Amino acid sequence: MTLETFWFIVIGVLWTGYLVLEGFDFGVGMLLAVIGRGEDAAETNTRRRLMLTTIGPFWDGNEVWLLTAGGATFAAFPAWYATMFSGFYLALLLVLVSLILRNMGLEYRYKRDSEAWRRGWDLIIMVCSFLPPLLVGVALTNLVHGVPINAAGNFTGNLFTLLNPMSLLGGLTLVAVSLTHGAFYLALKTDGPVREKAASFGDVSGPVAAVLAVVLLVWVNIHTGDAASWIASAIGAIALVVAILANRVRRDGIAFLGTFLAIAGTVATYFLAVFPNVMPSTTDAAYSLTVHNAASSHLTLQIMTGAALVFTPIMLIYTAWTYWVFRKRLTMHVIAPQTDPLAPIDVPAHPAGADEATV
């Protein structure tokens, strides 16, 4: 195996890690509107705080996988990075803005005890949990579908070029799978009415996600697949069916593991189907970017490999430790009453006639 191929696999693994981990917290964010709705404003607030508490220790760590995938692409395949980020500029900028606003919502929602304040941030969290999986799904599917690239390796299309039927299906599929992944995660991490509602939602969203995923994977494989990508697709489809069946009998752990493997199988299908290209050209196949003509120098890849062998195990151990520490189920009873950290402090007045020095 060449270093170019090795780093292509590493980038595929990083994208898999990002989508399986951030996929469920995207789902939890979108489900605030459905599962987070109570009988009154107080119950709604408690439900939503419970849901967001389940992802509280993880969501920012999950985003490290996206940063690492982008950084690895830049260092290992600079030509791929340049063409992709210039061609997908508007879509990726919208992803970045959505992630920033979503993170602000997750942090600032608790800063004021105000119903209007919470409603505003909740809306931002829901919208900005929907847009990234939609846009990332569109972008990744375009890498398999192909985009117009000229002889100089430059993207010659526009935003509407990216909105072809296959890529839009890829975006919708990732949204549906993220919703199901998030519902199964909530069923695994909570108890009481939130768990029951999450599992019931998964009973509906799971089949919808399965139909979309099967159509997408068959389309991708017919378009540019091979035997290996068909096998990866079959593994992903079977895992998703097992997840749906496990959720129906309320085996929460198996259901969550099933959607985890389904997303991993889908990403593997993409990378296997497009290899040895990294960005096929629809203008002329000879203009396609491959793992060979888009890669950095051999010395650069050697240095990157040494760094990866040291730091990747550390990152994996830390991530596993975090999930182990916060592995318990949560209920609404453990959610503390809402407070306002910015409320004025009530300082008692000095007693009349008292000596200030003695107060």
Side-chain angles (χ1 to χ4, degrees):
M1 179 187 299
T2 65
L3 282 178
E4 290 85 354
T5 302
F6 171 76
W7 274 99
F8 181 75
I9 295 172
V10 169
I11 291 171
V13 171
L14 291 171
W15 273 109
T16 301
Y18 175 66
L19 293 175
V20 298
L21 294 178
E22 185 116 280
F24 70 74
D25 68 51
F26 282 145
V28 171
M30 288 187 278
L31 289 171
L32 288 181
V34 182
I35 300 174
R37 184 174 299 172
E39 297 294 331
D40 51 36
E43 184 181 348
T44 296
N45 183 35
T46 304
R47 283 191 179 214
R48 293 182 176 183
R49 290 180 63 201
L50 172 63
M51 293 170 65
L52 295 177
T53 299
T54 63
I55 62 172
F58 311 123
W59 64 264
D60 50 354
N62 294 342
E63 292 185 353
V64 171
W65 290 80
L66 176 63
L67 298 176
T68 309
T73 305
F74 170 74
F77 300 100
W80 181 14
Y81 181 92
T83 303
M84 181 170 62
F85 277 76
S86 60
F88 299 173
Y89 179 78
L90 288 176
L92 294 177
L93 177 64
L94 192 53
V95 170
L96 180 62
V97 171
S98 298
L99 291 177
I100 292 172
L101 290 175
R102 179 174 179 269
N103 297 350
M104 290 175 64
L106 293 171
E107 293 287 350
Y108 291 167
R109 184 186 189 278
Y110 305 95
K111 301 302 183 185
R112 298 301 305 269
D113 186 15
S114 162
E115 190 59 31
W117 175 272
R118 284 193 293 269
R119 279 202 304 269
W121 285 117
D122 286 350
L123 179 61
I124 289 175
I125 292 172
M126 287 183 274
V127 173
C128 294
S129 295
F130 166 77
L131 287 177
L134 176 69
L135 296 171
V136 169
V138 169
L140 289 179
T141 308
N142 267 300
L143 295 182
V144 180
H145 175 271
V147 292
I149 300 174
N150 62 18
N154 295 322
F155 177 79
T156 57
N158 53 47
L159 179 62
F160 296 103
T161 307
L162 306 178
L163 303 180
N164 54 75
M166 180 190 287
S167 299
L168 290 173
L169 177 60
L172 291 176
T173 302
L174 187 53
V175 169
V177 173
S178 295
L179 276 168
T180 305
H181 199 36
F184 291 171
Y185 175 77
L186 282 174
L188 177 65
K189 287 291 294 181
T190 63
D191 210 345
V194 171
R195 180 191 178 197
E196 290 304 318
K197 200 164 183 178
S200 298
F201 183 87
D203 288 336
V204 177
S205 67
V208 175
V211 171
L212 291 174
V214 168
V215 173
L216 174 66
L217 291 175
V218 169
W219 195 348
V220 166
N221 279 301
I222 291 174
H223 180 70
T224 183
D226 56 16
S229 64
W230 276 104
I231 292 173
S233 297
I235 293 173
I238 293 171
L240 188 52
V241 171
V242 171
I244 294 168
L245 297 176
N247 183 64
R248 289 190 179 277
V249 295
R250 301 304 183 251
R251 298 294 298 271
D252 305 325
I254 297 176
F256 180 69
L257 179 61
T259 48
F260 188 104
L261 294 176
I263 295 173
T266 302
V267 178
T269 298
Y270 274 36
F271 277 77
L272 289 168
V274 76
F275 183 81
N277 293 323
V278 292
M279 207 163 179
S281 172
T282 55
T283 306
D284 188 326
Y287 301 156
S288 297
L289 300 179
T290 71
V291 294
H292 304 295
N293 65 20
S296 290
S297 68
H298 191 71
L299 177 60
T300 301
L301 296 179
Q302 283 182 317
I303 295 173
M304 290 178 62
T305 303
L309 291 175
V310 174
F311 291 108
T312 302
I314 297 174
M315 185 177 76
L316 293 176
I317 291 171
Y318 175 76
T319 301
W321 177 80
T322 304
Y323 278 86
W324 174 256
V325 169
F326 296 100
R327 66 187 182 280
K328 299 292 187 181
R329 287 184 187 270
L330 301 175
T331 68
M332 289 196 288
H333 300 295
V334 303
I335 301 300
Q338 179 76 52
T339 60
D340 191 339
L342 298 181
I345 299 174
D346 186 16
V347 179
H350 294 172
D355 184 351
E356 184 176 350
T358 64
V359 176

